[in-house]
Amino acid sequence: MNDVRKLFPGASDKVYLDISLRGLLPESTRAAVIEYLDARVSGDLTKAMQWDAVERARTGFAGLIGATADEVAVTKNVSEGLNLFAGSLPWKAGDNVVICPELEHPNNIYLWYNLRSRVGVEVRAVAPDDGRLPVDFMIASMDARTRVVTLPHISFSPGFLSDVATVGAAARERGVLTLVDAAQSVGSVRTDVGELGVDALVTATQKSLLALYGTGFLFIRRELADSLVPCAVARYGIALDAGDETAYDPDHLRFAPGARRFDLGNFNYLGATAAAASLDLIAGIGIERIERHVRRLAARLAAGLADLGLPVASGPPGPHLAHIVAVGTSGAGRHDSAEDPAMNELHEHLTRNGVRLSIRRGVLRFSVGIYNDDADIDRVLELTSTWQRARS
């Protein structure tokens, strides 16, 4: 992947293992952003050009996840996508949602407890199994009043792959909708909504989609989307056909097809421009090639750190491991610090020596990107070994 690494200037002067926080921007996306800004400065930027960027981003994302463009709404972020979907379901008091909060980002937790207080929705929280999604318990927690089961494709922390397909199949058998937070997966691992059997999926573009903050996507299966009445409506979510976009008929509110009814304008056109460029790059490289690369490097890193005696979460590499390697005890610490002083010391040592990584819920989170290589892994293992010798 040396041909790819050259496209990311930020990878040349540091070891950047933090795509789970924010991915590096490729040079081609930077050029697209500059072109957009130049057109804006000169006054040559038209609405049609901006709309084209939105549609290229929508279509590019749809292709990446095996969906159609009409099944994708363009959002600001994951949180907006989650709330637009959840807020548009016909909840009744006594309905329930099944979730494993300890594996979720907080933004896929707050909205459910808000529904509990507003509508009377029961939140059925299940505990993780050694940092993994408790598939059997998730399935056993569903009943006739379960409306949604929600889970991460790859967890916020410790970053393991979830068995979405098994949960989704069980949910379908029970008439339950499956909502997936794919913020940590799309762009790094193959994510096919048909194969996974999900009804709705959300993500944002600043991580593995290699673009900017302020843009995200909401996928909703077409048949389901066409049955939903959006909780928030704007002109871009209305079917205007060939009519004037300022026209309206108060007696006949017709929503745009599929998930497009969830579009709220105006869009983040700069963010869409960046997303379209990065999605073009990802498509050109191929998601299968990207996944092979990042999983291989992550497995090398996990095995190397374990050989050095570090507490790699859930032991040796296995099917649970995608592109995120967690070190430490999950849940033992705050959002960006660990209870174990050694983990905080190692984080400081690596950061001081040019390695970018995060601490999340008590664990060091190394997340491999398309732009990383074996030399990056060697450098982390070397620095960790040096730190150990200095402490002994």
Side-chain angles (χ1 to χ4, degrees):
M1 296 286 276
N2 287 336
D3 56 328
V4 175
R5 184 178 174 91
K6 293 185 299 184
L7 305 177
F8 293 85
S12 64
D13 63 347
K14 66 180 74 67
V15 176
Y16 194 91
L17 290 168
D18 213 8
I19 198 170
S20 290
L21 173 67
R22 183 170 51 249
L24 291 177
L25 205 67
E27 182 58 41
S28 56
T29 300
R30 177 179 180 271
V33 167
I34 291 174
E35 182 180 1
Y36 173 95
L37 293 174
D38 285 346
R40 182 71 176 85
V41 168
S42 68
D44 294 329
L45 189 66
T46 66
K47 198 62 170 286
M49 293 164 60
Q50 295 180 105
W51 264 95
D52 178 67
V54 171
E55 291 308 310
R56 286 194 299 112
R58 189 196 310 270
T59 301
F61 177 73
L64 183 61
I65 65 169
T68 66
D70 283 350
E71 292 178 306
V72 174
V74 179
T75 64
K76 294 198 302 293
N77 46 45
V78 167
S79 304
E80 183 176 63
L82 289 167
N83 279 275
L84 285 172
F85 177 71
S88 301
L89 296 177
W91 296 98
K92 297 178 182 177
D95 288 348
N96 67 73
V97 57
V98 176
I99 185 173
C100 182
E102 291 181 52
L103 298 183
E104 294 286 356
H105 188 282
N107 285 337
N108 196 24
I109 300 174
Y110 296 134
L111 74 159
W112 306 114
Y113 287 100
N114 186 45
L115 281 172
R116 183 180 70 175
S117 63
R118 290 179 54 245
V119 185
V121 171
E122 177 192 357
V123 180
R124 293 189 173 175
V126 298
D129 178 13
D130 192 24
R132 304 169 197 250
L133 190 81
V135 171
D136 291 342
F137 287 109
M138 297 284 282
I139 294 172
S141 296
M142 301 180 207
D143 63 17
R145 296 302 303 272
T146 304
R147 190 168 291 276
V148 171
V149 58
T150 184
L151 63 158
H153 190 193
I154 294 178
S155 63
F156 167 66
S157 178
F160 298 156
L161 268 169
S162 301
D163 187 355
V164 174
T166 297
V167 175
R172 282 196 306 278
E173 292 174 358
R174 293 160 175 78
V176 176
L177 299 177
T178 302
L179 168 63
V180 170
D181 179 348
Q184 298 292 357
S185 62
V186 178
S188 282
V189 300
R190 189 168 181 270
T191 305
D192 186 291
V193 291
E195 293 178 2
L196 294 175
V198 305
D199 297 290
L201 176 146
V202 293
T203 196
T205 63
Q206 74 271 15
K207 301 180 189 293
S208 294
L209 292 183
L210 309 171
L212 304 177
Y213 284 99
T215 299
F217 299 104
L218 165 63
F219 158 82
I220 305 177
R221 182 172 49 81
R222 176 63 187 266
E223 184 181 7
L224 173 61
D226 282 339
S227 73
L228 297 178
V229 176
C231 61
V233 181
R235 61 178 177 170
Y236 294 154
I238 301 298
L240 296 173
D241 299 323
D244 186 333
E245 67 176 25
T246 63
Y248 67 94
D249 182 346
D251 298 319
H252 298 90
L253 191 62
R254 293 176 53 242
F255 297 115
R260 289 178 182 269
R261 65 189 59 200
F262 292 92
D263 281 357
L264 296 173
N266 271 315
F267 298 100
N268 176 356
Y269 294 109
L270 178 60
T273 298
S278 289
L279 283 161
D280 284 346
L281 176 64
I282 291 168
I285 298 168
I287 191 61
E288 290 82 4
R289 182 185 177 198
I290 293 171
E291 180 173 357
R292 285 195 303 270
H293 177 72
V294 298
R295 294 187 77 161
R296 181 186 69 80
L297 291 181
R300 252 203 83 206
L301 178 60
L305 292 172
D307 287 344
L308 292 173
L310 268 69
V312 176
S314 281
H320 67 282
L321 184 67
H323 67 295
I324 301 173
V325 177
V327 178
T329 302
S330 182
R334 293 179 173 271
H335 178 70
D336 55 2
S337 65
E339 286 183 359
D340 183 352
M343 292 297 98
N344 291 321
E345 290 173 16
L346 177 56
H347 179 266
E348 182 181 353
H349 173 73
L350 293 171
T351 302
R352 190 169 58 248
N353 285 278
V355 179
R356 284 289 303 275
L357 71 157
S358 298
I359 300 181
R360 288 295 181 268
R361 289 184 177 163
V363 300
L364 302 190
R365 189 179 67 178
F366 301 85
S367 49
V368 177
I370 186 176
Y371 35 71
N372 291 117
D373 62 11
D374 284 285
D376 289 338
I377 306 305
D378 292 339
R379 178 61 174 159
V380 171
L381 297 176
E382 175 191 0
L383 287 169
T384 302
S385 180
T386 301
W387 169 77
Q388 286 181 316
R389 291 195 298 272
R391 295 181 81 242
S392 62

